[in-house]
Amino acid sequence: MSVFLGWFLGLVLMVVVAVAESAKFDELFQPNWAFDHFIYEGDLLKLKLDNSSGAGFGSKNKYMFGKVSIQLKLVQGDSAGTATAFYMSSEGVNYNEFDFEFLGNTTGEPYSVQTNVYVNGVGNREQRLDLWYDPTKDFHTYTIFWNQRQVVFLVDETPIRVHTNMEHRGIPFPKDQPMGVYSSIWNADDWATQGGRVKTDWSHAPFIATYKSFEINACECPVSSVAAVDNAKRCSSSEEKKFWWDEPTLSELSLHQSHHLMWVKARHMVYDYCTDISRYPVTPAECVHHHH
């Protein structure tokens, strides 16, 4: 069963909780920096990276639980040294964050995507995949789905990573901080391509990432500083209110999705922190217990 099947059928819009849905950039987002590196062409938004600056935008609101997605066409040609990110993040020292980072390459090399999960300000949970398609040729949909049981990263509805709630084993899970939604393009040639060995060739600038179809279908949290426990309550189902992200079918991957995830890991994963014994002589606890 598709993870998206029935999501909209079962969506009940509560008066007390705003669930944002839109496909227009300026309804959901605003430029955060380098306004002069934004190009608007109808429904398309282009972010430009040159040797003076990259660019980035962020959501106007913060959210807890739900789904955020964009369609993105990555930098074409020689994109070595560039990084394009799509991510969710909370604020403060003990922030939570879910990252997609698309790492540029020299022409003809596979584009790779790195995902990471930060919990209480601690990351170092990188996984890296070589994509099974050319992300510079067409738009592809990149999605983060988040509820109290799991965080799922999806590419064109195919799950590429799951971070499961294992609080019962004493492992913290990000479920009490509202998060903004962000994207940016920047020069990361100190690490992005072949560990930083290949630098950005500015003669190929500007580097352009193109976006469309912005969607946030998630629990909107007020901007004012509401206690975390209140946000968790207002965004969680109870007898009075039922939210689509709390549907039992979304508490874990379907069998079909699990098979897709296994295929991705077997065929396309090129780095997994869980198996990096030089960094982690003792396997991280969440890696020991993960089913997927």
Side-chain angles (χ1 to χ4, degrees):
M1 186 181 73
S2 164
V3 73
F4 299 111
L5 187 64
W7 275 7
F8 299 107
L9 298 175
L11 180 60
V12 179
L13 191 60
M14 295 295 135
V15 178
V16 287
V17 178
V19 177
E21 275 192 90
S22 181
K24 284 200 166 43
F25 173 78
D26 55 3
E27 288 176 15
L28 295 174
F29 295 97
Q30 58 199 14
N32 278 355
W33 50 285
F35 295 8
D36 60 343
H37 282 56
F38 282 70
I39 304 161
Y40 301 92
E41 293 179 0
D43 291 336
L44 302 182
L45 167 68
K46 297 185 174 184
L47 294 194
K48 180 170 72 171
L49 166 67
D50 57 28
N51 56 7
S52 69
S53 180
F57 61 82
S59 59
K60 296 178 179 179
N61 296 306
K62 302 260 192 307
Y63 305 91
M64 273 189 57
F65 310 135
K67 169 189 139 187
V68 302
S69 66
I70 54 165
Q71 289 190 16
L72 176 59
K73 184 157 62 172
L74 291 164
V75 175
Q76 294 186 321
D78 181 355
S79 57
T82 70
T84 307
F86 171 54
Y87 62 104
M88 297 185 72
S89 183
S90 62
E91 295 174 352
V93 179
N94 297 315
Y95 67 98
N96 299 328
E97 186 169 308
F98 314 139
D99 290 339
F100 275 105
E101 291 179 309
F102 302 96
L103 309 178
N105 58 33
T106 51
T107 307
E109 296 291 319
Y111 231 101
S112 60
V113 57
Q114 179 168 287
T115 57
N116 204 347
V117 175
Y118 288 76
V119 185
N120 297 333
V122 179
N124 300 319
R125 296 181 178 91
E126 297 91 349
Q127 290 183 356
R128 194 175 290 191
L129 305 172
D130 282 343
L131 293 168
W132 53 93
Y133 55 86
D134 184 343
T136 72
K137 290 283 189 285
D138 293 298
F139 287 95
H140 292 269
T141 304
Y142 302 97
T143 301
I144 298 167
F145 168 68
W146 174 34
N147 63 15
Q148 295 178 75
R149 302 293 299 276
Q150 59 179 359
V151 181
V152 186
F153 296 78
L154 303 111
V155 172
D156 295 330
E157 299 196 19
T158 296
I160 64 165
R161 179 174 187 162
V162 177
H163 186 80
T164 306
N165 185 336
M166 289 185 283
E167 288 178 303
H168 63 288
R169 297 187 181 276
I171 299 165
F173 182 80
K175 67 175 179 41
D176 58 358
Q177 297 181 40
M179 301 170 88
V181 186
Y182 304 93
S183 188
S184 56
I185 183 171
W186 77 100
N187 178 34
D189 69 3
D190 55 335
W191 65 274
T193 305
Q194 295 179 29
R197 287 190 294 277
V198 182
K199 300 302 182 186
T200 304
D201 182 349
W202 293 110
S203 71
H204 293 150
F207 302 101
I208 305 282
T210 309
Y211 299 78
K212 68 175 184 176
S213 299
F214 302 87
E215 184 186 1
I216 297 177
N217 186 349
C219 185
E220 195 175 299
C221 296
V223 178
S224 59
S225 56
V226 176
V229 65
D230 294 336
N231 275 327
K233 274 185 190 164
R234 77 198 301 276
C235 294
S236 303
S237 296
S238 64
E239 288 181 13
E240 300 85 54
K241 55 181 190 267
K242 292 280 191 286
F243 294 121
W244 66 269
W245 51 83
D246 288 328
E247 288 292 322
T249 52
L250 299 178
S251 63
E252 59 183 12
L253 295 189
S254 67
L255 187 61
H256 180 67
Q257 289 175 312
S258 294
H259 288 157
H260 274 207
L261 181 62
M262 286 191 285
W263 173 81
V264 168
K265 287 188 168 183
R267 296 288 187 88
H268 298 284
M269 185 174 284
V270 293
Y271 176 81
D272 183 2
Y273 78 106
C274 284
T275 58
D276 187 342
I277 56 174
S278 60
R279 277 176 76 191
Y280 297 105
V282 177
T283 304
E286 69 261 26
C287 301
V288 175
H289 299 301
H290 255 143
H291 301 306
H292 302 294

